[in-house]
Structures are given as structure tokens and as C-alpha cells.
Amino acid sequence: MRIRSLATVLAISLGLVTAAGSGDAWAKGKKKKKPVATKVQPVEKIAPPNAEQKKALAELMGAYKFGMDKDEIIGLLSKQIDERYAEQISATNDVMTQDKLRKEKQKEIQRIKQSYIEFDGKKSGWDVSLIDSEFAHKTGESMLAYWENAGGKNQRRFFFFYEGKLWKMFVAIDTKALADDQRNFTFFRGLMEQRYGKARTVDNRAVWNAGEFEVHAVDKMAFYGSFALLIQHPGMLKDVTATRVANAPEAKKPDGMIEVIKEKGNDSDKVNLDENSDAVDAIINGSKGK
């Protein structure tokens, strides 16, 4: 009786029983609370891009097609550069100037070829950069970089390959043309939605599905002072993702130095694009340079 009485007092003091039915509650244990019904937030219905918006999204592809290999991409870029320099060369009769322009053209093409990298496990400057989350090592992935600075554009385009085939492009956009109060992702997304229509929100990105490809607006402002537009093939993404999962390395303790760099940012990794008031307009208005 004493043990039982002590147990009852302890139970009451801990609020384990109520005035009514205290004996049953102690025998059966703590009374279960009724589950609180959670409200399911309705999924926002987003209308797919109309014909005009799909056309605008397709302009982001340029002359490039998914499935192209790096030599085909370099061939297209070389042709564009040849045409651009041909105009400059024909505009002067000075032999020395013409020779200088031809050398500059060759250097530009050579820079593109030298930018090619296979992500085979060797660390590079790209492992801590604005594209560090866009690739994985030892998965058959590679990349080619090109600086688009003609026709009012001032941006960098990264070509990503999987097993030698183009599957994604990442376009880093300069933001120097924007006022300080406009240098935020909300404003940038608003500009993109004016042109491409309402976007879905996926992993903090604005996403438009154009059928054969999808476009993401990406916020890289915090560390790299840039926004980006990503264009990728959904079907090839599935293959890339499956390969990454199958080849994922064992989890390791984060590198303290890299974490510090990511937290504080690194000026040397920023997209140091020349100031150009037409840079953002070039993307928004769909103007294209050769």
C-alpha cells in the first residue's frame, strides 16, 4: 500500500494522471495525445510557358544542341570567333593591325581549347568556385568554358559533358549593371519571369520546364557576386544523377580551409566581368552575339 501510495503521489506530482481515472492512467502508462492534424499546403499550379515564352527560353540554347561533343562545340565557337574577327580585319587596310587581330583570334580559340577539363578526381580551381556544385568527379563528366563578350553580352558560359556529350550549360551573368537595391535574387527572378513566365521553386531555384529542356535561375550572389541561368536536359540529368549515386565517395570530414573559404568567399573565384550596362539587358531581351 505504501509503495502504491508513493507511486500515486509521484505520478500526480509529475502530471502523469488526471483527477478522473487516475488509477487506469497509471496502470496503462502516459495517456497518448490525439495527433494534431497538419494542414497540407496546396501545390501552386504553374501554367507551362506559352509559345512566345518557349521561344525566349530556346534562345538561351543558342546554336548549341544537347548531345554535341566538345569538338563540335569548339567548332561552333571557332566559327563565331572567325566571323567576328573577319569583320574587324576587313575594316582595316593596315597589315600590322590585321596580323595582330589574327593572333588575337588564335589566342581566343586556344583559350577555349585549354579550358577543357575532365573531372577525374584531380582537384582544380573549379572545386571551390561558382560552378563547384554543378559537377562530380570520376563520373565521366567534363567541362569547357567560354567568355561571351560580344553583341552586348558580358557573361561566361560553361559547357558540361557527360560521357563526352553536352548535357548542361551554365551561364554566369554579370550584375554590375544593376543598382545596389536590385542586386538580389528576388529582383533577378522577377526580371526572368517577365520574359519566361511564372517559375516553379525547386531547391531555392526558379525553374521553367520547356519540354525538351529546363531552365534554372540560380542565386550565386552571396559568395560570387553573380546570378546564373542553367539550361539542362532532364533525361540526361537522370543518367548523370544515377552515375553520381553509384560512384559517390564515402563521406569524409569537411576540409576546414575549404569551409572557411566558402563562408567568407574568395575574390579570386568571383566572376570578374567587365562593367557593361548592356550585360543584363542582353539576357533579358534575348539579344545574341556571334
Side-chain angles (χ1 to χ4, degrees), residues 222-223 257-267 270:
F223 298 132
M257 182 60 71
I258 291 179
E259 294 303 313
V260 169
I261 292 173
K262 285 186 175 181
E263 287 178 9
K264 294 184 177 180
N266 186 338
D267 290 341
K270 290 185 179 180

Side-chain angles (χ1 to χ4, degrees), residues 38-76:
T38 56
K39 293 183 179 180
V40 178
Q41 295 296 329
V43 178
E44 184 181 5
K45 293 183 178 180
I46 305 296
N50 58 35
E52 183 179 350
Q53 291 164 345
K54 278 188 176 181
K55 182 179 178 182
L57 287 166
E59 289 177 357
L60 294 171
M61 286 291 298
Y64 317 110
K65 295 180 180 179
F66 293 123
M68 285 183 165
D69 60 33
K70 74 176 180 67
D71 292 330
E72 290 177 299
I73 297 295
I74 291 173
L76 277 175

Side-chain angles (χ1 to χ4, degrees), residues 63-105:
Y64 317 110
K65 295 180 180 179
F66 293 123
M68 285 183 165
D69 60 33
K70 74 176 180 67
D71 292 330
E72 290 177 299
I73 297 295
I74 291 173
L76 277 175
L77 294 174
S78 297
K79 182 180 179 182
Q80 293 174 11
I81 293 169
D82 279 337
E83 292 173 351
R84 174 154 47 87
Y85 274 93
E87 294 177 3
Q88 297 178 49
I89 292 171
S90 62
T92 179
N93 294 320
D94 185 81
V95 177
M96 292 185 66
T97 301
Q98 290 177 338
D99 185 56
K100 181 181 178 181
L101 288 169
R102 290 190 184 96
K103 289 180 179 179
E104 288 178 358
K105 180 185 72 173

Side-chain angles (χ1 to χ4, degrees), residues 3-166:
I3 295 175
R4 183 177 178 183
S5 176
L6 182 61
T8 304
V9 171
L10 182 60
I12 293 173
S13 67
L14 294 176
L16 296 178
V17 295
T18 60
S22 59
D24 289 341
W26 177 251
K28 296 179 181 179
K30 186 177 179 180
K31 200 169 186 178
K32 292 183 179 180
K33 294 181 179 180
K34 291 183 179 180
V36 179
T38 56
K39 293 183 179 180
V40 178
Q41 295 296 329
V43 178
E44 184 181 5
K45 293 183 178 180
I46 305 296
N50 58 35
E52 183 179 350
Q53 291 164 345
K54 278 188 176 181
K55 182 179 178 182
L57 287 166
E59 289 177 357
L60 294 171
M61 286 291 298
Y64 317 110
K65 295 180 180 179
F66 293 123
M68 285 183 165
D69 60 33
K70 74 176 180 67
D71 292 330
E72 290 177 299
I73 297 295
I74 291 173
L76 277 175
L77 294 174
S78 297
K79 182 180 179 182
Q80 293 174 11
I81 293 169
D82 279 337
E83 292 173 351
R84 174 154 47 87
Y85 274 93
E87 294 177 3
Q88 297 178 49
I89 292 171
S90 62
T92 179
N93 294 320
D94 185 81
V95 177
M96 292 185 66
T97 301
Q98 290 177 338
D99 185 56
K100 181 181 178 181
L101 288 169
R102 290 190 184 96
K103 289 180 179 179
E104 288 178 358
K105 180 185 72 173
Q106 291 304 318
K107 285 182 179 180
E108 188 170 344
I109 294 173
Q110 190 62 22
R111 277 196 298 271
I112 297 170
K113 293 179 179 179
Q114 291 176 343
S115 73
Y116 181 73
I117 181 172
E118 295 181 350
F119 299 114
D120 55 5
K122 296 178 182 178
K123 295 294 182 180
S124 71
W126 298 119
D127 286 275
V128 184
S129 72
L130 80 166
I131 61 166
D132 56 11
S133 61
E134 301 301 330
F135 62 87
H137 283 279
K138 298 182 179 181
T139 52
E141 296 179 60
S142 54
M143 186 270 292
L144 191 74
Y146 175 53
W147 199 295
E148 295 180 330
N149 58 358
K153 290 183 179 180
N154 191 32
Q155 59 202 31
R156 292 181 77 177
R157 184 180 293 258
F158 299 86
F159 301 88
F160 288 91
F161 303 89
Y162 171 64
E163 294 184 346
K165 302 299 181 182
L166 179 68

Side-chain angles (χ1 to χ4, degrees), residues 159-197:
F159 301 88
F160 288 91
F161 303 89
Y162 171 64
E163 294 184 346
K165 302 299 181 182
L166 179 68
W167 76 278
K168 177 171 68 176
M169 289 180 286
F170 185 96
V171 184
I173 303 168
D174 186 18
T175 61
K176 292 186 179 69
L178 295 173
D180 289 343
D181 61 346
Q182 298 173 341
R183 291 165 62 83
N184 61 79
F185 190 65
T186 300
F187 181 81
F188 177 69
R189 175 174 178 156
L191 290 179
M192 297 302 99
E193 288 187 328
Q194 287 179 24
R195 180 160 178 78
Y196 305 131

